[in-house]
Amino acid sequence: MFSFNDLLTINGISPQDVAVALHKPANTSERQALCTMIDEDFAAFNAYQSTHARIPEATLKARGIMASFVMTSDGRMTFVGLFANAGSQPFAQAGPHVYALFVRMTRKMTGPDEVNGRSGLEALQNRLLFDLSRLDTMSDLSGRLIVQDPGARNYMRVADCTPLPVVELTKEAQMTPPVPNWDALVLTAPDLRKLPNSWRVQLSAWRGVYLIVDRCDGARYVGAAYGSENLFGRWSQHVAREIGITKELSQCDPAEFQFSILELLSPAATADEVIGAERKWMRRIGTLEFGLNT
């Protein structure tokens, strides 16, 4: 079976000189955040992969090239690129611009309210900061080359001991998956805070009736989206504060909200038409008597 090491060899690179970073956070929301950064903020992604714990740090330190892969939300290991390792320095000696970059990256990974300046970077103070720069070699395979996940928890490997069989070479590069059909879309509050730009654009074009489920107790709320930025704008309002934005939702924690679409209406639908559909869904689901609508 053709492997990633075969590709390295064809391109004149010895697998013995390559460390393989298999970025695969257990949290699917964090996987999505990584893929979004690759497409929209590559400097933040490169910051993510430039510090490591002691054992993977030693593996990378001994090799001049790092091959980077990321697990996409569908569980496939996708090639990001080859990176030259120009050396390292203690993270604690990094300048203010590096700290600002890491704050930005961490907020993209965990949400905008989870990091407060340098305090969120204390765990990195004893690590090395690697100087990684993307190589042109094999860059045409970025987002297209899919390899088999070797499994196990160790994410930093030595290439010559990790052949990585090639599963697929796609025609188009794609890190961020396309938006699901409206009737299959389910998003949590953390998902909304890390949406790729293409998803934001689509949700901003959709108007209709939506359902919020409070994952703490299963309580349900039916709402309507028809104003500026349609569904994306309304859902973003719901998760922007520490409590719900309506009287009914004010006793709930928006961090536990789950969103889905009950009915997608025409972009030309009037406010009265959307509100009329909303009232019908409240009666059908029973959220007026037994849910969070009044």
Side-chain angles (χ1 to χ4, degrees):
M1 179 178 291
F2 199 68
S3 72
F4 179 67
N5 284 345
D6 294 323
L7 289 170
L8 290 174
T9 302
I10 290 171
N11 283 275
I13 299 173
S14 171
Q16 294 180 338
D17 297 331
V18 179
V20 176
L22 302 166
H23 304 302
K24 46 180 181 178
N27 187 305
T28 55
S29 180
E30 291 184 356
R31 293 181 195 171
Q32 180 64 69
L34 279 183
C35 293
T36 301
M37 281 191 283
I38 292 169
D39 284 340
E40 300 177 10
D41 191 349
F42 198 82
F45 169 77
N46 205 28
Y48 172 86
Q49 65 177 9
S50 65
T51 67
H52 303 277
R54 182 175 56 85
I55 294 177
E57 184 179 88
T59 301
L60 179 56
K61 190 175 182 180
R63 286 158 183 86
I65 296 176
M66 185 183 80
S68 179
F69 293 82
V70 65
M71 180 172 281
T72 54
S73 57
D74 58 4
R76 291 152 62 94
M77 294 303 307
T78 302
F79 180 60
V80 179
L82 297 178
F83 294 78
N85 174 17
S88 61
Q89 65 171 327
F91 185 89
Q93 296 178 11
H97 68 288
V98 173
Y99 279 88
L101 177 60
F102 269 77
V103 169
R104 188 172 88 212
M105 176 273 294
T106 309
R107 283 177 173 157
K108 289 176 180 288
M109 289 292 292
T110 62
D113 303 321
E114 300 299 324
V115 182
N116 182 16
R118 296 172 69 146
S119 63
L121 306 177
E122 293 176 355
L124 304 180
Q125 296 303 306
N126 295 323
R127 292 186 177 186
L128 293 176
L129 177 67
F130 287 90
D131 181 2
L132 301 174
S133 58
R134 199 172 189 177
L135 297 173
D136 290 336
T137 306
M138 295 174 58
S139 60
D140 59 318
L141 301 180
S142 179
R144 299 174 53 224
L145 176 64
I146 313 299
V147 301
Q148 183 176 314
D149 179 10
R153 297 179 60 184
N154 182 16
Y155 72 90
M156 187 71 78
R157 311 288 186 93
V158 181
D160 58 328
C161 298
T162 313
L164 298 176
V166 173
V167 174
E168 184 180 358
L169 185 61
T170 64
K171 183 177 181 180
E172 301 291 337
Q174 185 171 306
M175 287 292 182
T176 303
V179 183
N181 290 334
W182 69 268
D183 54 353
L185 182 69
V186 179
L187 296 173
T188 64
D191 292 333
L192 275 173
R193 296 189 177 104
K194 305 170 192 174
L195 279 184
N197 186 59
S198 58
W199 290 42
R200 296 189 199 105
V201 170
Q202 183 63 75
L203 284 172
S204 295
W206 282 347
R207 63 179 51 188
V209 183
Y210 61 87
L211 176 69
I212 295 177
V213 177
D214 186 339
R215 295 188 298 173
C216 287
D217 58 10
R220 285 163 167 73
Y221 173 88
V222 171
Y226 51 85
S228 176
E229 295 188 298
N230 291 313
L231 282 166
F232 177 71
R234 188 57 175 163
W235 288 359
S236 296
Q237 291 174 354
H238 277 297
V239 301
R241 298 166 51 186
E242 293 184 358
I243 61 173
I245 61 174
T246 69
K247 178 181 178 180
E248 302 91 338
L249 295 173
S250 62
Q251 303 302 312
C252 302
D253 180 1
E256 297 300 325
F257 287 174
Q258 176 179 285
F259 298 83
S260 59
I261 302 171
L262 294 172
E263 183 176 352
L264 193 67
L265 298 176
S266 165
T270 66
D272 287 343
E273 290 172 331
V274 180
I275 292 171
E278 175 191 32
R279 300 302 294 184
K280 291 178 182 177
W281 278 102
M282 289 179 187
R283 291 192 294 272
R284 291 177 67 180
I285 296 180
T287 57
L288 290 167
E289 296 83 7
F290 306 108
L292 296 174
N293 291 109
T294 58

